[in-house]
Amino acid sequence: MEGRHRERREEGDEETIREQERERGEQRDGSPKSKSGTKMEEEDEGKETELMKASSRDKAQSQLINGHTPISASSSLTSFPFISSPHQGRGGEDEEEVRVAILTVEDESCPSEPFGTTQFEPTKEDNGQEESGEEGDGEMEGEEEVAEEENEEQEVEEAANAEEREEEGELASPEAHLQLKMKRKLDHGPDGRPFPSGKKHCKGNGYLSPSSLVQATPTTFGDLRLANGHSAQRRRVTSGPPPSGLQDWLHTFQMWSGPERLLALDELIDRCETSQVKHMMQVIEPQFQRDFISLLPKELALYVLTFLAPRDLLQAAQTCRYWRILAEDNLLWREKCREEGISECASSRRRRPSAAVSEWKSTYIRQHRIETNWRKGDTREPMVLKGHDDHVITCLQFSGDLIVSGSDDNTLKVWSAITGKCLRTLTGHTGGVWCSQMAATTVISGSTDRTLRVWDAESGECVHTLYGHTSTVRCMHLNGNRVVSGSRDTTLRVWDVSTGRCEHVLTGHLAAVRCVQYDGRRVVSGGYDYMVKVWDPETEVCLHTLQGHTNRVYSLQFDGVFVVSGSLDTSIKVWDAETGGCVHTLTGHQSLTSGMELRDNILVSGNADSTVRVWDIRTGQCLHTLQGPNKHQSAVTCLQFCRGLVLSSSDDGTVKLWDLRTGAWLRDVVALQSRGSGGVVWRIRASDTRLVCAAGSRNGTEETKLLVLDFDLDEKKKETD
């Protein structure tokens, strides 16, 4: 009995439970539960079971990718769907499967992209396949399998990269590891390729920009592209679907060490076709072409540009606007001018540089143009100045735009170097003019009438007549407000140009004084008595008598330290001005040294043997002998050197141009029509921009004249002329 009562109670309890469940179902569904409802309930229970299994798989994938265990759903964190993939339910009705993962990201409010799956959005083709029944289900299941395979390959690749970076010490903490993962997902997608068209970045305020995650030192080529400011989504080859096994191949490559990767790349390149190598170059080369000048501070950029040659600076200025601004820097071009020995910033008289152009740059370009005109010349004929009839031009001076010529016709003439006109004739001497000096507009002349005269070249007025010498005034040298004159009367006199007073008389030579030099402190003279003397003009004492020449001394140079004398005995001697000792005897010429010029220990000498020699007076070495097939054919009458060039005139009627550094002949600047048959170039004077030549003949084959060549001409001026 007790057993029967127990069974009845249990049956009643079961019926009570069924009633309660039925009431709950009716309240939930709004209708009594039917047998079909029971089947639907069983199907719902099956779906819940499948959903739980899928959730377990998602959790496992999330753990594998992120290295963190998902927290419980009760945590107050942001969650979002990873896959919204429509598919056909078992009951024939369209349903959606929703997968949810919750991640912990420190200091970030909005994850930008999912990390374990790929999001696909349905297209029109997908919708059509859904309506077609089982065929659509099969294709969708295939796409899901492909997505899962890509996810698994990406997960393995990410895990391998993380292991390598952990071994190299790049990932110091889980947070850094997670940030690196997020950066790779943002930049390159799951498999290192750009995102599919269906993916979109999160637009929230917490968006993680790729630039905020770029490391200080790029470790991969992709990082280098980002550091250079290029887009992470570069254009890829879209010739077809990726080859099978690509991810395995890449994974194997990433597992190798650095040297092994290099060896593999060498082997790979050897097996590439030309078009494939060209593709690699198009991708790689732009990443290493960086405008480092624009990235540097302006001061450092300008310092770098100082190492460029001026020609390279002009080319760099054509690169871009910012490079042009740097390449126009005034101080930069001042340094370039200083390197070339250009000390004054003087723009062209004919063309003022614009405000945007550096004045020093304009100066440098102008000087370069003048240098080119000197060396290469043009087809323009020189300007011809005639006025001394058939007389010999004995002396020539050139200052600014004024030219002063002295002749044995007892006069001096003042010419305009611009127009070529004779501005005035200086008359007053009663004998031929044999020497002259000029400073600005003041001219001093010496004559066979035994006097010196001081002239104002602008007005033509004779300011002073200096009396004292008893024979021809043969030479003179002007320094400041004092001029020292040497005469055939064997004496030298020191004059004050402004007052016309003779301040000192230097006596001691035994024959005519032929040449003199004055540096403002000491006077050096050479004469026909074979001697060179060094004087203190203030005390009128001869400090040294330099003996050694065996014939007349015709030419002198004095730079305050060394005295250089040229003689008819064919030798040139270098003396110490302080001790009076002979430092070097320069031998090589075969005749009279008629002219010399000394600058910075470099001596250029012209000789009657038709050669010009270049010497280093510190060593006594002959650096160059200017001769060869284009050498002068007669005695050298005058010479001058400037701008690294040597100019020499000769009795053969030519003026030749030589390179001082190499000794090479460059060209004949002047060649008279009567050259070789009596034409002579007696004197030459040159400035940086002009050359003046006094020419004529001894037999009437050439008119006495001055030839003026202007090298400060640009193309516009040439066209105008």
Side-chain angles (χ1 to χ4, degrees), residues 616-688:
D616 185 340
I617 63 172
R618 295 169 298 183
T619 63
Q621 179 184 4
C622 179
L623 303 178
H624 303 292
T625 300
L626 309 184
Q627 52 183 6
N630 297 293
K631 72 172 186 176
H632 286 295
Q633 302 300 315
S634 186
V636 176
T637 57
C638 191
L639 61 85
Q640 190 169 352
F641 76 90
C642 60
R643 307 180 64 89
L645 303 171
V646 177
L647 288 160
S648 60
S649 62
S650 169
D651 277 346
D652 63 6
T654 64
V655 177
K656 294 183 179 294
L657 185 67
W658 313 82
D659 189 301
L660 178 65
R661 183 177 59 86
T662 64
W665 172 84
L666 298 178
R667 67 187 183 102
D668 284 351
V669 182
V670 172
L672 300 178
Q673 292 182 352
S674 61
R675 62 184 180 278
S677 60
V680 178
V681 179
W682 290 307
R683 295 285 183 270
I684 58 173
R685 284 289 182 270
S687 67
D688 282 346

Coordinates of all heavy atoms in Angstrom, one line a residue, residues 616-688:
D616 N 107.8 79.2 -57.7 CA 107.4 79.3 -56.3 C 108.7 79.8 -55.6 O 109.7 79.1 -55.5 CB 107.1 77.9 -55.8 CG 106.6 77.9 -54.3 OD1 106.9 78.9 -53.6 OD2 105.9 77.0 -53.9
I617 N 108.6 81.1 -55.1 CA 109.8 81.7 -54.5 C 110.2 81.1 -53.2 O 111.3 81.3 -52.7 CB 109.7 83.2 -54.4 CG1 108.5 83.6 -53.5 CG2 109.4 83.8 -55.8 CD1 108.5 85.1 -53.2
R618 N 109.3 80.4 -52.5 CA 109.7 79.7 -51.3 C 110.6 78.6 -51.5 O 111.5 78.3 -50.7 CB 108.4 79.3 -50.5 CG 107.5 80.4 -50.1 CD 106.2 79.9 -49.6 NE 105.5 79.2 -50.7 CZ 104.2 78.6 -50.6 NH1 103.6 78.7 -49.5 NH2 103.7 78.0 -51.6
T619 N 110.4 77.8 -52.6 CA 111.2 76.7 -52.9 C 112.2 76.9 -54.0 O 113.2 76.1 -54.1 CB 110.4 75.5 -53.2 OG1 109.7 75.8 -54.5 CG2 109.3 75.2 -52.1
G620 N 112.0 78.0 -54.7 CA 112.9 78.2 -55.9 C 112.6 77.4 -57.1 O 113.4 77.3 -58.0
Q621 N 111.5 76.6 -57.1 CA 111.1 75.7 -58.1 C 110.4 76.4 -59.2 O 109.5 77.2 -59.0 CB 110.3 74.6 -57.5 CG 109.8 73.5 -58.6 CD 108.9 72.5 -58.0 OE1 108.6 72.6 -56.8 NE2 108.6 71.5 -58.8
C622 N 110.7 76.0 -60.5 CA 109.9 76.5 -61.6 C 108.7 75.6 -61.8 O 108.9 74.4 -62.1 CB 110.8 76.5 -62.9 SG 110.0 77.1 -64.4
L623 N 107.6 76.2 -61.6 CA 106.3 75.4 -61.7 C 105.9 75.1 -63.2 O 105.5 74.0 -63.5 CB 105.2 76.1 -61.0 CG 105.5 76.4 -59.5 CD1 104.3 77.1 -58.9 CD2 105.7 75.1 -58.7
H624 N 106.0 76.1 -64.0 CA 105.6 76.0 -65.4 C 106.5 76.9 -66.3 O 106.9 77.9 -65.9 CB 104.1 76.4 -65.6 CG 103.2 75.6 -64.8 ND1 102.9 74.3 -64.9 CD2 102.4 76.0 -63.7 CE1 102.0 73.9 -64.1 NE2 101.7 74.9 -63.3
T625 N 106.7 76.4 -67.5 CA 107.3 77.2 -68.5 C 106.2 77.4 -69.6 O 105.8 76.4 -70.2 CB 108.6 76.6 -69.1 OG1 109.5 76.5 -68.1 CG2 109.1 77.5 -70.2
L626 N 105.7 78.6 -69.8 CA 104.6 78.8 -70.7 C 105.2 78.9 -72.1 O 105.6 80.0 -72.6 CB 103.8 80.0 -70.3 CG 103.4 80.1 -68.8 CD1 102.6 81.3 -68.6 CD2 102.7 78.8 -68.4
Q627 N 105.2 77.8 -72.8 CA 105.7 77.8 -74.2 C 104.9 76.7 -75.0 O 103.7 76.6 -74.8 CB 107.2 77.5 -74.2 CG 107.6 76.3 -73.4 CD 109.1 76.1 -73.3 OE1 109.9 76.9 -73.8 NE2 109.5 75.0 -72.7
G628 N 105.6 76.0 -75.8 CA 104.9 75.0 -76.6 C 104.6 75.5 -78.0 O 105.1 76.5 -78.5
P629 N 103.7 74.7 -78.7 CA 103.4 75.1 -80.1 C 102.8 76.5 -80.2 O 102.9 77.1 -81.3 CB 102.4 74.0 -80.5 CG 102.6 72.9 -79.6 CD 103.0 73.5 -78.3
N630 N 102.1 77.0 -79.1 CA 101.4 78.3 -79.2 C 102.2 79.3 -78.5 O 101.6 80.4 -78.1 CB 100.0 78.1 -78.6 CG 99.1 77.2 -79.4 OD1 98.8 77.5 -80.5 ND2 98.8 76.1 -78.8
K631 N 103.5 79.1 -78.2 CA 104.2 80.1 -77.5 C 104.5 81.4 -78.3 O 104.2 81.4 -79.5 CB 105.6 79.5 -77.1 CG 106.5 79.4 -78.2 CD 107.9 79.0 -77.7 CE 108.9 78.9 -78.9 NZ 110.3 78.6 -78.4
H632 N 105.0 82.4 -77.6 CA 105.3 83.7 -78.3 C 106.5 83.4 -79.3 O 107.4 82.6 -79.0 CB 105.7 84.7 -77.3 CG 104.5 85.3 -76.6 ND1 103.5 86.0 -77.2 CD2 104.2 85.3 -75.3 CE1 102.6 86.4 -76.3 NE2 103.0 86.0 -75.1
Q633 N 106.5 84.2 -80.4 CA 107.5 84.0 -81.4 C 108.6 85.1 -81.3 O 109.6 85.1 -82.0 CB 106.9 84.1 -82.8 CG 105.9 83.0 -83.0 CD 106.4 81.6 -82.9 OE1 107.5 81.3 -83.4 NE2 105.7 80.8 -82.2
S634 N 108.4 86.0 -80.2 CA 109.4 87.1 -80.1 C 109.4 87.5 -78.6 O 108.8 86.8 -77.7 CB 109.1 88.3 -80.9 OG 110.1 89.3 -80.9
A635 N 110.2 88.5 -78.2 CA 110.4 88.9 -76.8 C 109.1 89.2 -76.2 O 108.2 89.9 -76.8 CB 111.4 90.1 -76.8
V636 N 109.0 88.8 -74.9 CA 107.8 89.2 -74.1 C 108.0 90.6 -73.6 O 109.0 90.9 -73.0 CB 107.6 88.2 -72.9 CG1 106.5 88.7 -72.0 CG2 107.4 86.8 -73.4
T637 N 107.0 91.5 -73.9 CA 107.2 92.9 -73.5 C 106.5 93.2 -72.2 O 107.0 94.2 -71.5 CB 106.6 93.8 -74.6 OG1 105.2 93.4 -74.8 CG2 107.3 93.6 -75.9
C638 N 105.4 92.6 -71.8 CA 104.7 92.9 -70.6 C 103.9 91.7 -70.2 O 103.6 90.8 -71.0 CB 103.8 94.1 -70.9 SG 103.1 94.8 -69.4
L639 N 103.6 91.6 -68.9 CA 102.7 90.5 -68.4 C 102.0 91.0 -67.2 O 102.3 91.9 -66.5 CB 103.6 89.3 -68.2 CG 104.7 89.3 -67.1 CD1 104.1 89.1 -65.7 CD2 105.7 88.3 -67.4
Q640 N 100.9 90.2 -66.9 CA 100.1 90.4 -65.8 C 99.3 89.2 -65.5 O 99.0 88.4 -66.4 CB 99.1 91.6 -66.0 CG 98.4 92.1 -64.8 CD 97.6 93.4 -65.0 OE1 97.8 94.0 -66.0 NE2 96.8 93.8 -64.0
F641 N 99.0 88.9 -64.2 CA 98.2 87.7 -63.9 C 97.1 88.1 -62.9 O 97.4 88.8 -62.0 CB 99.0 86.5 -63.6 CG 99.6 86.5 -62.2 CD1 98.8 85.9 -61.1 CD2 100.8 87.0 -61.9 CE1 99.4 85.9 -59.8 CE2 101.4 86.9 -60.6 CZ 100.6 86.4 -59.6
C642 N 95.9 87.5 -63.1 CA 94.8 87.7 -62.2 C 93.8 86.6 -62.5 O 93.8 86.0 -63.6 CB 94.2 89.1 -62.4 SG 93.5 89.4 -64.1
R643 N 92.9 86.3 -61.5 CA 91.9 85.4 -61.7 C 92.4 84.0 -62.1 O 91.7 83.2 -62.7 CB 90.9 85.8 -62.8 CG 90.3 87.2 -62.6 CD 89.3 87.5 -63.7 NE 88.2 86.6 -63.6 CZ 87.1 86.9 -62.9 NH1 87.0 88.0 -62.2 NH2 86.1 86.0 -62.9
G644 N 93.6 83.7 -61.7 CA 94.2 82.4 -62.0 C 94.6 82.3 -63.5 O 94.9 81.2 -64.0
L645 N 94.7 83.5 -64.1 CA 95.1 83.5 -65.5 C 96.4 84.4 -65.7 O 96.6 85.3 -64.9 CB 94.0 84.1 -66.4 CG 92.7 83.4 -66.3 CD1 91.6 84.2 -67.0 CD2 92.7 82.0 -66.9
V646 N 97.2 84.1 -66.7 CA 98.4 84.9 -67.0 C 98.2 85.5 -68.4 O 97.9 84.8 -69.3 CB 99.7 84.0 -67.0 CG1 100.9 84.8 -67.4 CG2 99.9 83.4 -65.6
L647 N 98.4 86.8 -68.5 CA 98.4 87.5 -69.7 C 99.8 87.9 -70.1 O 100.5 88.5 -69.2 CB 97.4 88.7 -69.6 CG 95.9 88.4 -69.5 CD1 95.2 89.6 -68.9 CD2 95.4 88.1 -70.9
S648 N 100.2 87.7 -71.3 CA 101.5 88.1 -71.7 C 101.4 88.7 -73.1 O 100.7 88.2 -74.0 CB 102.5 86.9 -71.8 OG 102.0 85.9 -72.6
S649 N 102.1 89.8 -73.3 CA 102.2 90.5 -74.6 C 103.6 90.4 -75.2 O 104.6 90.1 -74.4 CB 101.8 92.0 -74.5 OG 102.7 92.7 -73.6
S650 N 103.7 90.5 -76.5 CA 105.0 90.3 -77.1 C 105.2 91.2 -78.3 O 104.3 91.8 -78.9 CB 105.1 88.8 -77.5 OG 106.2 88.5 -78.3
D651 N 106.5 91.2 -78.8 CA 106.8 91.8 -80.0 C 106.2 91.1 -81.2 O 106.3 91.7 -82.3 CB 108.3 91.9 -80.2 CG 108.9 93.1 -79.4 OD1 108.1 94.0 -79.0 OD2 110.1 93.1 -79.2
D652 N 105.7 89.9 -81.0 CA 105.1 89.2 -82.2 C 103.7 89.7 -82.5 O 103.0 89.1 -83.4 CB 105.1 87.7 -81.9 CG 104.3 87.3 -80.7 OD1 103.6 88.1 -80.1 OD2 104.3 86.1 -80.4
G653 N 103.2 90.7 -81.7 CA 101.9 91.3 -82.0 C 100.7 90.5 -81.4 O 99.6 90.7 -81.9
T654 N 100.9 89.7 -80.4 CA 99.8 88.9 -79.8 C 99.8 89.2 -78.3 O 100.8 89.6 -77.7 CB 100.0 87.4 -80.1 OG1 101.2 87.0 -79.4 CG2 100.0 87.1 -81.5
V655 N 98.6 88.9 -77.7 CA 98.4 88.8 -76.3 C 97.9 87.4 -76.0 O 96.8 87.1 -76.5 CB 97.5 89.9 -75.7 CG1 97.3 89.7 -74.2 CG2 98.0 91.3 -76.0
K656 N 98.6 86.6 -75.3 CA 98.2 85.2 -75.0 C 97.7 85.1 -73.6 O 98.1 85.8 -72.7 CB 99.4 84.3 -75.3 CG 99.8 84.3 -76.7 CD 101.0 83.3 -77.0 CE 101.4 83.3 -78.4 NZ 100.3 82.7 -79.3
L657 N 96.8 84.1 -73.5 CA 96.2 83.8 -72.2 C 96.6 82.4 -71.8 O 96.4 81.5 -72.6 CB 94.6 83.9 -72.3 CG 93.9 83.7 -71.0 CD1 94.1 84.9 -70.0 CD2 92.4 83.6 -71.3
W658 N 97.1 82.3 -70.6 CA 97.5 81.0 -70.0 C 96.8 80.7 -68.7 O 96.4 81.6 -68.0 CB 99.0 81.0 -69.8 CG 99.9 81.6 -70.9 CD1 100.1 82.9 -71.1 CD2 100.6 80.9 -71.9 NE1 100.9 83.1 -72.2 CE2 101.2 81.9 -72.7 CE3 100.8 79.5 -72.2 CZ2 102.0 81.5 -73.8 CZ3 101.6 79.2 -73.2 CH2 102.2 80.2 -74.0
D659 N 96.7 79.4 -68.5 CA 96.2 78.9 -67.2 C 97.3 78.9 -66.2 O 98.3 78.1 -66.3 CB 95.5 77.5 -67.3 CG 94.8 77.1 -66.1 OD1 95.4 77.1 -65.0 OD2 93.5 76.9 -66.2
L660 N 97.2 79.6 -65.1 CA 98.3 79.7 -64.1 C 98.5 78.4 -63.4 O 99.6 78.0 -63.1 CB 98.0 80.8 -63.1 CG 99.0 81.0 -62.0 CD1 100.3 81.5 -62.5 CD2 98.4 82.0 -60.9
R661 N 97.4 77.6 -63.2 CA 97.6 76.4 -62.4 C 98.2 75.3 -63.2 O 99.0 74.5 -62.7 CB 96.2 76.0 -61.9 CG 96.2 74.7 -61.0 CD 94.8 74.4 -60.5 NE 93.9 74.1 -61.7 CZ 93.8 72.9 -62.3 NH1 94.5 71.9 -61.8 NH2 92.9 72.8 -63.3
T662 N 97.8 75.2 -64.5 CA 98.3 74.1 -65.3 C 99.4 74.5 -66.3 O 100.2 73.7 -66.8 CB 97.2 73.5 -66.1 OG1 96.7 74.4 -67.0 CG2 96.1 73.0 -65.2
G663 N 99.5 75.8 -66.5 CA 100.5 76.3 -67.5 C 100.1 76.1 -68.9 O 100.9 76.3 -69.8
A664 N 98.9 75.7 -69.1 CA 98.4 75.4 -70.5 C 98.0 76.7 -71.2 O 97.5 77.7 -70.6 CB 97.2 74.5 -70.5
W665 N 98.3 76.8 -72.5 CA 97.8 77.9 -73.3 C 96.3 77.8 -73.6 O 95.8 76.7 -73.9 CB 98.5 77.9 -74.7 CG 98.0 78.8 -75.7 CD1 98.4 80.2 -75.8 CD2 97.1 78.6 -76.7 NE1 97.7 80.7 -76.9 CE2 96.9 79.8 -77.4 CE3 96.4 77.5 -77.1 CZ2 96.1 79.9 -78.5 CZ3 95.5 77.6 -78.2 CH2 95.4 78.8 -78.9
L666 N 95.6 78.9 -73.4 CA 94.1 78.9 -73.5 C 93.7 79.4 -74.9 O 93.0 78.8 -75.6 CB 93.5 79.6 -72.4 CG 93.7 79.1 -71.0 CD1 93.0 79.9 -69.9 CD2 93.2 77.6 -70.9
R667 N 94.2 80.6 -75.2 CA 93.9 81.3 -76.5 C 94.7 82.5 -76.7 O 95.3 83.0 -75.7 CB 92.4 81.6 -76.5 CG 91.9 82.7 -75.6 CD 90.4 82.8 -75.6 NE 89.9 83.9 -74.7 CZ 89.5 85.1 -75.2 NH1 89.5 85.3 -76.5 NH2 89.0 86.0 -74.3
D668 N 94.6 83.0 -77.9 CA 95.2 84.3 -78.2 C 94.1 85.4 -78.0 O 93.1 85.4 -78.8 CB 95.7 84.4 -79.6 CG 97.0 83.7 -79.7 OD1 97.6 83.3 -78.7 OD2 97.5 83.5 -80.9
V669 N 94.2 86.2 -77.0 CA 93.2 87.2 -76.7 C 93.2 88.3 -77.8 O 92.2 88.8 -78.3 CB 93.3 87.8 -75.3 CG1 92.2 88.8 -75.0 CG2 93.3 86.7 -74.3
V670 N 94.4 88.7 -78.2 CA 94.6 89.7 -79.2 C 95.6 89.2 -80.2 O 96.7 88.6 -79.8 CB 95.1 91.1 -78.6 CG1 95.5 92.0 -79.7 CG2 94.1 91.7 -77.7
A671 N 95.3 89.4 -81.5 CA 96.3 89.0 -82.5 C 96.2 90.1 -83.6 O 95.2 90.2 -84.3 CB 96.0 87.7 -83.1
L672 N 97.2 91.0 -83.7 CA 97.2 92.1 -84.7 C 97.3 91.5 -86.1 O 97.9 90.4 -86.3 CB 98.4 93.0 -84.4 CG 98.4 93.7 -83.0 CD1 99.7 94.5 -82.9 CD2 97.2 94.5 -82.8
Q673 N 96.8 92.2 -87.0 CA 96.8 91.8 -88.4 C 98.2 91.8 -88.9 O 98.6 91.0 -89.8 CB 95.9 92.7 -89.3 CG 94.5 92.6 -89.0 CD 93.6 93.5 -89.9 OE1 94.2 94.3 -90.7 NE2 92.3 93.3 -89.9
S674 N 99.1 92.7 -88.4 CA 100.5 92.8 -88.8 C 101.4 92.0 -88.0 O 102.6 92.2 -88.0 CB 100.9 94.3 -88.8 OG 100.8 94.8 -87.5
R675 N 100.8 91.0 -87.2 CA 101.7 90.2 -86.3 C 102.7 89.4 -87.2 O 102.3 88.9 -88.3 CB 100.9 89.3 -85.5 CG 100.0 88.3 -86.2 CD 99.2 87.5 -85.3 NE 98.3 86.5 -86.0 CZ 97.2 86.7 -86.6 NH1 96.7 88.0 -86.6 NH2 96.5 85.7 -87.2
G676 N 103.9 89.4 -86.7 CA 105.0 88.7 -87.5 C 105.6 89.6 -88.5 O 106.7 89.1 -89.1
S677 N 105.1 90.7 -88.8 CA 105.7 91.6 -89.8 C 105.9 93.0 -89.3 O 105.9 94.0 -90.1 CB 104.8 91.6 -91.1 OG 103.5 92.1 -90.8
G678 N 106.0 93.2 -88.0 CA 106.2 94.5 -87.4 C 105.2 94.9 -86.4 O 105.5 95.8 -85.6
G679 N 104.1 94.3 -86.3 CA 103.1 94.6 -85.3 C 103.6 94.3 -83.9 O 104.1 93.2 -83.7
V680 N 103.4 95.2 -82.9 CA 103.9 95.0 -81.5 C 102.8 95.4 -80.5 O 102.1 96.4 -80.7 CB 105.2 95.9 -81.3 CG1 105.7 95.8 -79.9 CG2 106.3 95.6 -82.3
V681 N 102.7 94.6 -79.5 CA 101.9 95.0 -78.3 C 102.9 95.4 -77.2 O 103.6 94.6 -76.7 CB 101.0 93.9 -77.8 CG1 100.2 94.3 -76.6 CG2 100.1 93.4 -78.9
W682 N 102.9 96.8 -76.9 CA 103.9 97.3 -76.0 C 103.6 97.1 -74.6 O 104.4 96.7 -73.8 CB 104.1 98.8 -76.3 CG 104.8 99.1 -77.6 CD1 106.0 98.6 -78.0 CD2 104.3 100.0 -78.6 NE1 106.3 99.2 -79.3 CE2 105.3 100.0 -79.6 CE3 103.2 100.8 -78.7 CZ2 105.1 100.8 -80.8 CZ3 103.0 101.6 -79.9 CH2 104.0 101.6 -80.9
R683 N 102.3 97.4 -74.2 CA 101.9 97.4 -72.8 C 100.5 96.8 -72.7 O 99.7 96.9 -73.6 CB 101.9 98.8 -72.3 CG 103.2 99.5 -72.2 CD 104.1 98.9 -71.0 NE 105.3 99.7 -70.9 CZ 106.5 99.3 -71.6 NH1 106.5 98.3 -72.4 NH2 107.6 100.0 -71.4
I684 N 100.3 96.2 -71.6 CA 98.9 95.7 -71.3 C 98.6 96.0 -69.8 O 99.5 96.1 -69.0 CB 98.8 94.1 -71.5 CG1 99.8 93.4 -70.7 CG2 98.9 93.8 -73.0 CD1 99.6 91.9 -70.7
R685 N 97.4 96.3 -69.6 CA 96.8 96.5 -68.2 C 95.5 95.8 -68.2 O 94.7 96.0 -69.1 CB 96.7 98.0 -67.9 CG 98.0 98.7 -67.6 CD 98.6 98.2 -66.2 NE 99.8 98.9 -65.9 CZ 101.0 98.5 -66.3 NH1 101.2 97.4 -67.0 NH2 102.1 99.2 -66.0
A686 N 95.2 95.1 -67.1 CA 94.0 94.4 -67.0 C 93.4 94.6 -65.6 O 94.1 94.7 -64.6 CB 94.2 92.9 -67.2
S687 N 92.0 94.6 -65.6 CA 91.3 94.5 -64.3 C 90.5 93.2 -64.4 O 90.7 92.4 -65.2 CB 90.3 95.7 -64.2 OG 89.3 95.6 -65.2
D688 N 89.6 93.0 -63.4 CA 88.9 91.8 -63.4 C 88.0 91.6 -64.6 O 87.6 90.5 -65.1 CB 88.0 91.7 -62.1 CG 88.8 91.3 -60.9 OD1 90.0 90.8 -61.1 OD2 88.3 91.4 -59.8

